[in-house]
């Protein structure tokens, strides 16, 4: 008689031998202290978001690509299912990555019925494999009039939410129906879809949330795509390619070329004098911008949001005052805060201000100013780029914090050092 398959992570752990469990706690040592009382307690610790994030940070690009394949599956998937999404990989390559993921309990189950833990799904990128979010997640936020507009253009019967979203998603899950819609789209629509089906499934469009009542061959291609559900708006000025549409556009090789080995770095060889000169120039510019940023903040006193961050309007004003782009401004804000030069007040209506440490920092030699900023950057828990793009976290908020941020920077610096002097 065949035993029933495990239903939960704890059930699966109970079927593993002592050698596997010993390797598991060596691979994820944070779950072992204090020692868990039983396997249910161990399963709970393995599912804690911080522990999962630490384990994910230690995976290489190939392991993450295989994990993306498992995340894209609608249910338990097998090694062969993931293999079919890749170009240039062998079954043994996928099997080895699956074994590593399973050894860390990020996935569990047999080779033909692998389950991704819910904590991994929550910690994973919202754009799995560079694809957008599922249509259901995007369209459920539509008001009734807009989802009805999409249904009318698709020829679907009337329904209220959430049934309306379910009907549209059912249509989009049909590859033949999606291809037929793409074939019927006006000129230029295919190029838009092709671009968004690459690594970045989002774009910007003014008044994206204004769907046309009439969508025919004379309708601008992006508006036509929005009206037919092949694109979804996210707020008034951003749009996103639903995952189902992206998978149809990519075809069988959903995840593209296998990232079995890192690509060779693109480097230039410099003399030590040139390298030192470029470093000194950037060092001086970074400290100058940090000082200028804090001076403007001291004059403007931007308010603190309820989320603990700084408002988008205030950040854009700072970027304009500094003459730099938003990503640079986000980075400067996070680094100065991590260096203890910027903080918010504890008043009833708190604002962001330079700290008393700022005045002392201004009097230091530029090399010491730079050292303080560099050390803060290396150790800070924030990833400033998480404040960029649609639906991003506010700069200086906890939403930009990641457990493995500091470790990732150390690995990047180690990789750069391994290239050798002058490269």
């Amino acid at each position: 008689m065949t035993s029933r398959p495990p239903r939960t992570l704890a059930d699966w752990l109970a079927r593993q031998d002592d050698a596997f469990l010993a390797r598991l706690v060596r691979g994820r040592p944070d779950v072992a202290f204090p020692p868990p009382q039983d396997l249910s307690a161990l399963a709970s610790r393995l599912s804690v978001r911080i522990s999962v994030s630490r384990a994910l940070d230690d995976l290489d690009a190939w392991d993450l690509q295989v994990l993306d394949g498992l995340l894209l599956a609608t249910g338990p998937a097998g090694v062969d299912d993931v293999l079919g999404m890749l170009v240039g990989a062998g079954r043994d390559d996928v099997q080895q990555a699956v074994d590593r993921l399973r050894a860390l309990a990020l996935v569990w189950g047999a080779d033909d019925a692998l389950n991704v833990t819910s904590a991994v799904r929550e910690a994973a990128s919202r754009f799995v494999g560079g694809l957008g979010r599922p249509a259901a997640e995007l369209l459920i936020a539509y008001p009734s009039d807009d989802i009805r507009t999409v249904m009318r253009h698709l020829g679907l019967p009337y329904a209220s939410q959430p049934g309306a979203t379910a009907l549209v998603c059912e249509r989009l899950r049909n590859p033949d129906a999606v291809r037929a819609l793409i074939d019927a789209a006006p000129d230029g629509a295919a190029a838009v879809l092709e671009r968004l089906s690459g690594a970045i499934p989002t774009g910007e469009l003014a008044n994206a949330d204004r769907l046309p009542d009439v969508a025919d061959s004379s309708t601008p291609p992006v508006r036509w795509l929005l009206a037919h559900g092949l694109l979804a708006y996210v707020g008034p000025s951003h749009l996103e390619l639903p995952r189902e549409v992206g998978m149809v556009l990519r075809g069988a090789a959903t995840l593209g070329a296998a990232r079995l080995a890192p690509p060779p770095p693109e480097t230039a060889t410099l003399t030590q004098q040139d390298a030192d000169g470029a470093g000194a120039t950037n060092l001086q510019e970074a400290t100058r911008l940090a000082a200028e940023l804090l001076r403007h903040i001291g004059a403007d006193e931007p308010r603190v949001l309820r989320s603990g961050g700084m408002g988008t309007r205030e950040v854009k004003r700072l970027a304009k005052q500094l003459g730099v782009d938003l990503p640079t401004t986000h980075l400067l804000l996070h680094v100065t805060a991590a260096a203890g030069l910027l903080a918010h007040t504890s008043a009833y209506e708190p604002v962001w201000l330079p700290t008393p440490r700022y005045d002392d920092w201004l009097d230091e030699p530029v090399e010491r100013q730079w050292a303080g900023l560099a050390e803060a950057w290396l150790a800070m828990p924030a990833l400033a780029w998480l404040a960029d793009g649609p639906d991003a976290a506010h700069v200086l908020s906890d939403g930009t914090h990641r457990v493995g941020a500091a470790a990732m920077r150390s690995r990047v610096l180690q990789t750069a050092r391994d290239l050798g002097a002058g490269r």
Side-chain angles (χ1 to χ4, degrees):
M1 181 176 178
T2 304
S3 62
R4 65 172 180 82
R7 296 181 179 179
T8 64
L9 175 59
D11 188 7
W12 179 76
L13 288 172
R15 305 182 188 204
Q16 308 309 306
D17 58 27
D18 290 345
F20 174 88
L21 296 174
R23 290 193 300 271
L24 172 59
V25 295
R26 283 197 296 268
R28 294 180 62 176
D30 56 301
V31 304
F33 299 100
Q37 294 182 347
D38 52 37
L39 291 176
S40 294
L42 176 61
S44 296
R45 293 188 191 180
L46 289 167
S47 300
V48 172
R49 178 69 177 268
I50 292 179
S51 176
V52 168
S53 295
R54 286 174 178 159
L56 291 174
D57 285 340
D58 287 333
L59 298 179
D60 62 22
W62 172 236
D63 293 338
L64 290 171
Q65 193 175 22
V66 171
L67 180 59
D68 280 347
L70 296 172
L71 287 167
L72 290 174
T74 55
V79 171
D80 291 332
D81 295 317
V82 177
L83 181 61
M85 300 182 187
L86 294 158
V87 175
R91 195 180 193 282
D92 288 345
D93 299 318
V94 177
Q95 183 68 62
Q96 289 171 11
V98 165
D99 290 342
R100 286 191 291 270
L101 296 170
R102 195 161 39 196
L104 295 172
L106 298 172
V107 305
W108 57 272
D111 286 343
D112 59 349
L114 294 161
N115 297 271
V116 182
T117 67
S118 58
V120 171
R121 293 187 181 276
E122 293 170 2
S125 167
R126 102 173 50 175
F127 302 133
V128 177
L131 292 164
R133 289 170 287 176
E137 187 175 336
L138 298 170
L139 298 178
I140 196 64
Y142 274 29
S144 297
D145 288 345
D146 286 351
I147 196 66
R148 287 173 191 164
T149 297
V150 175
M151 296 178 73
R152 178 165 51 81
H153 288 303
L154 292 177
L156 294 172
Y158 169 79
S160 57
Q161 291 282 36
T165 289
L167 286 173
V168 175
C169 292
E170 184 180 359
R171 177 66 60 86
L172 294 180
R173 282 193 292 268
N174 183 334
D176 292 335
V178 172
R179 293 189 193 98
L181 283 170
I182 295 173
D183 291 340
D187 291 344
V192 172
L193 293 174
E194 190 66 27
R195 184 168 65 251
L196 293 176
S197 66
I200 304 176
T202 60
E204 294 187 14
L205 177 70
N207 302 316
D209 56 348
R210 296 183 184 177
L211 302 185
D213 291 329
V214 177
D216 53 29
S217 59
S218 64
T219 305
V222 175
R223 298 289 177 187
W224 192 97
L225 294 169
L226 283 165
H228 288 80
L230 295 179
L231 289 179
Y233 67 76
V234 184
S237 59
H238 292 93
L239 48 84
E240 187 172 324
L241 183 71
R243 180 176 298 175
E244 295 85 347
V245 180
M247 292 181 74
V248 170
L249 290 165
R250 290 189 181 185
T254 306
L255 295 174
R259 297 196 293 266
L260 289 166
E266 297 181 5
T267 64
T269 302
L270 303 175
T271 66
Q272 193 64 50
Q273 182 179 3
D274 288 342
D276 290 343
T281 299
N282 284 282
L283 178 155
Q284 293 172 342
E285 179 66 2
T287 54
R288 182 191 71 80
L289 286 172
E292 190 74 3
L293 173 83
L294 293 166
R295 183 178 69 80
H296 287 300
I297 289 176
D300 296 343
E301 298 187 0
R303 67 185 182 88
V304 178
L305 300 177
R306 290 183 179 180
S307 65
M310 186 181 293
T312 302
R313 183 181 304 174
E314 288 83 354
V315 177
K316 287 182 176 179
R317 182 167 60 245
L318 286 169
K320 185 176 181 180
Q321 290 169 332
L322 294 175
V324 299
D325 57 20
L326 280 174
T328 301
T329 307
H330 293 156
L331 179 60
L332 287 167
L333 285 165
H334 280 289
V335 171
T336 52
L341 305 176
L342 172 66
H344 61 73
T345 64
S346 57
Y348 178 72
E349 295 184 352
V351 296
W352 292 99
L353 285 174
T355 66
R357 163 85 181 107
Y358 170 58
D359 292 329
D360 296 333
W361 179 80
L362 282 177
D363 293 333
E364 294 176 352
V366 66
E367 60 271 18
R368 289 190 60 186
Q369 291 180 336
W370 163 253
L373 295 177
E375 290 171 358
W377 168 79
L378 185 60
M380 71 183 189
L383 294 173
W385 52 266
L386 291 176
D388 300 324
D391 295 334
H394 284 290
V395 67
L396 295 175
S397 70
D398 289 344
T400 62
H401 290 188
R402 293 295 183 271
V403 172
M408 181 176 66
R409 294 190 191 96
S410 294
R411 288 197 294 270
V412 170
L413 290 179
Q414 182 62 51
T415 300
R417 187 171 69 177
D418 291 343
L419 294 175
R423 298 189 68 191

